[in-house]
Amino acid sequence: MTIRNLDDLLAEGVSGRRVLVRADLNVPLDKQTGDITDDGRIRAVLPTLSALVQAGAKVVVCSHLGRPKGAPDPQFSLRPVAGRLGELLGAPVRFAEDTVGDSARSTVADLADGQVALLENLRFNKGETSKDEAERGAFADQLAALGDAYVDDAFGAVHRKHASVHDVPARLPHVAGRLVLREVEVLSKLTGAPERPYVVVLGGSKVSDKLAVIEALLPTVDRLLIGGGMCFTFLKAQGHEVGTSLLEEEMVETCRNLLERSAGKIMLPVDVVAADAFAPDAAHDTVPADGIPSHRLGLDIGPETVAGFAAALSQAKTIFWNGPMGVFEMAAFANGTRGVAEAITKTDAFSVVGGGDSAAAVRALGLDESSFGHISTGGGASLEYLEGKTLPGIAALEN
């Protein structure tokens, strides 16, 4: 990348300087207890934060969590994240009760060299996500006033034109953090000249969410394996009965055209796990992909499909996987995702897990994260990067 990175900032010296770090601490919380259920995104930013702490910076971390409506909402508070971040860093993290108000200013002012503070949820302020340039800019002014330099280590947010991602870098000396640098280096391998065969696995619920990346990848991949809820729209495009499975009727013709243009690159399920209802204890069994009963819905790919996908993956030298193969949160419908993930780990390929639900599945299913070449922290950002889109957060760092 033609972007200054953390090492450049550290070489200039950060001792005693306030360094504003945009992190992606948008972790899942248990709705009943408020406990963090997956701290992967917190762990991902530790290399950047630890380097700044050791160099004596006054580290000011900011992030969003969830989708509050531009006002404080206790269920989206970052307070539990501050506690977990402190545990992982081995030192208390001071927590500001607001983002750019009195608490934030006093918390930052009281920081000693090598200490860390976390500001409250950025999205408690309307200016963070505003489409109005002036409103967003005014919030960026207040946020930038809390730092002397800016580090973007929130790859999961670089595809958003938000104040903390797009506007603050224009107001402060800015660099890419360790995580953002690594993410772009890895994804650039996929968009450059990946070692072949290059196999992509796409899952998730909707074809419409993945259409742009399918269009971008078809000319460059050797095989495109499609599972998850989105496969049923493709199966419908082949003329098959899909029962009550998830279906985007308006995308059927698009899928038919993609299949015709794919030159045989697209590989679809040959069997699925069909259930009576969307429930963890629903009656279910494995049926051929062209024989789904009209009253049932597919909730996972079947064992024959897993074997076929595994065979295709075994030949790969480069793999990109984004999206689960089924409803992995329910044990009865997790085998497809587990099987494909385990098949990826058994190859010698350079493998990239494209964030989001795929990364969550790796951890939820207890798979060894080190068995994958790279696990991205940004599902949406990684897809848009592969589509060839300009990412506002990356563009801001390049300026």
Side-chain angles (χ1 to χ4, degrees):
M1 282 195 306
T2 57
I3 295 176
R4 281 163 43 84
N5 61 57
L6 185 65
D7 289 336
D8 297 317
L9 181 63
L10 294 173
E12 295 169 0
V14 294
S15 181
R17 296 175 68 188
R18 301 170 305 162
V19 179
L20 183 66
V21 179
R22 176 52 161 107
D24 180 9
L25 306 178
N26 185 27
V27 295
L29 302 175
D30 185 283
K31 291 182 179 179
Q32 273 69 48
T33 66
D35 294 335
I36 297 167
T37 58
D38 181 355
D39 65 2
R41 284 179 170 168
I42 304 175
R43 292 177 180 276
V45 77
L46 292 179
T48 289
L49 298 184
S50 297
L52 288 167
V53 166
Q54 291 168 13
K58 299 176 179 180
V59 185
V60 183
V61 184
C62 60
S63 177
H64 72 283
L65 192 153
R67 296 186 177 183
K69 306 298 184 183
D73 185 336
Q75 69 175 317
F76 295 117
S77 174
L78 280 167
R79 181 176 286 280
V81 175
R84 182 57 179 151
L85 181 58
E87 291 173 0
L88 293 171
L89 286 172
V93 169
R94 304 193 60 183
F95 183 67
E97 302 288 344
D98 54 33
T99 307
V100 292
D102 291 341
S103 179
R105 288 190 292 270
S106 62
T107 299
V108 172
D110 290 343
L111 282 177
D113 295 358
Q115 287 190 331
V116 179
L118 176 62
L119 307 179
E120 184 55 284
N121 195 332
L122 289 163
R123 293 185 183 175
F124 285 179
N125 303 75
K126 289 183 179 179
E128 168 66 1
T129 59
S130 177
K131 289 182 169 39
D132 182 272
E133 300 278 345
E135 184 176 25
R136 209 174 60 241
F139 178 59
D141 287 339
Q142 293 178 289
L143 197 55
L146 299 174
D148 302 307
Y150 171 86
V151 178
D152 189 345
D153 216 28
F155 182 74
V158 294
H159 60 314
R160 305 295 188 192
K161 193 175 182 180
H162 292 170
S164 63
V165 174
H166 178 264
D167 300 278
V168 171
R171 291 157 169 79
L172 291 172
H174 50 270
V175 301
R178 299 252 195 267
L179 175 62
V180 165
L181 187 67
R182 171 66 176 160
E183 294 271 15
V184 175
E185 286 176 343
V186 165
L187 292 173
S188 65
K189 291 183 181 179
L190 303 184
T191 56
E195 190 175 357
R196 297 186 178 281
Y198 176 23
V199 178
V200 170
V201 185
L202 290 181
S205 58
K206 294 182 178 180
V207 177
S208 54
D209 290 342
K210 303 285 172 71
L211 178 60
V213 76
I214 292 173
E215 294 274 11
L217 288 172
L218 263 184
T220 62
V221 303
D222 296 293
R223 297 303 298 269
L224 178 57
L225 317 182
I226 294 181
M230 63 188 290
C231 79
F232 299 105
T233 303
F234 278 93
L235 292 173
K236 183 73 171 181
Q238 290 184 319
H240 301 320
E241 168 69 56
V242 297
T244 59
S245 304
L246 185 63
L247 175 67
E248 289 182 282
E249 192 69 55
E250 71 281 4
M251 297 297 295
V252 170
E253 186 59 32
T254 299
C255 289
R256 187 176 292 117
N257 290 334
L258 287 170
L259 289 168
E260 290 173 355
R261 291 191 287 116
S262 72
K265 291 181 179 180
I266 293 178
M267 189 171 178
L268 296 174
V270 294
D271 61 345
V272 301
V273 180
D276 287 344
F278 187 89
D281 57 352
H284 61 276
D285 52 34
T286 301
V287 300
D290 60 358
I292 301 173
S294 60
H295 67 285
R296 285 191 151 189
L297 72 164
L299 295 181
D300 196 11
I301 60 173
E304 286 188 34
T305 301
V306 171
F309 282 10
L313 290 164
S314 70
Q315 305 298 314
K317 294 297 183 183
T318 305
I319 297 170
F320 177 73
W321 168 36
N322 179 280
M325 297 293 98
V327 187
F328 73 91
E329 299 90 345
M330 300 179 188
F333 312 112
N335 291 332
T337 301
R338 181 188 297 280
V340 167
E342 289 178 344
I344 293 172
T345 67
K346 293 174 182 175
T347 72
D348 295 325
F350 173 67
S351 58
V352 179
V353 180
D357 287 340
S358 308
V362 168
R363 290 187 281 268
L365 297 175
L367 302 174
D368 182 2
E369 294 183 47
S370 66
S371 298
F372 300 90
H374 178 71
I375 299 179
S376 177
T377 56
S382 63
L383 288 179
E384 291 196 16
Y385 190 95
L386 294 185
E387 289 167 27
K389 287 186 176 180
T390 296
L391 306 184
I394 301 299
L397 294 175
E398 290 174 332
N399 293 331

